[in-house]
Amino acid sequence: MNKLSTIKIFNSRIEAEIARSYLESAGIKSEISSDDAGQNISSLQALRGVKLLTSVENLGKARELLKKGSVR
């Protein structure tokens, strides 16, 4: 992927994983970024959020798909 941009920030890794999977099924590659001590301190996810990232080229389409879908 080229330069990455944030599609959305979620409260938990599970929510971000569901959204990532949904986007993958539509052919959009995405990545998750979370500063949660390697998933060892999950409470940091709620404080700092879990970012779902994609390339700048796919950003608009990804946001639109998440709005249309029931992924929040």
Side-chain angles (χ1 to χ4, degrees):
M1 268 189 244
N2 296 332
K3 184 176 177 184
L4 299 178
S5 291
T6 302
I7 303 167
K8 188 171 181 175
I9 299 174
F10 293 89
N11 291 324
S12 72
R13 180 173 285 274
I14 293 171
E15 291 174 313
E17 289 286 355
I18 291 169
R20 187 192 62 76
S21 181
Y22 177 68
L23 292 176
E24 286 259 330
S25 72
I28 297 176
K29 292 186 178 189
S30 58
E31 296 181 15
I32 292 175
S33 174
S34 177
D35 186 10
D36 57 5
Q39 297 183 28
N40 289 316
I41 307 175
S42 59
S43 60
L44 290 177
Q45 294 173 7
L47 294 172
R48 298 180 180 164
V50 180
K51 293 180 182 179
L52 183 61
L53 309 163
T54 193
S55 64
V56 174
E57 294 83 20
N58 290 327
L59 187 59
K61 184 177 178 183
R63 285 183 176 162
E64 177 133 351
L65 281 170
L66 292 181
K67 278 184 186 179
K68 286 182 181 180
S70 59
V71 179
R72 293 188 165 94

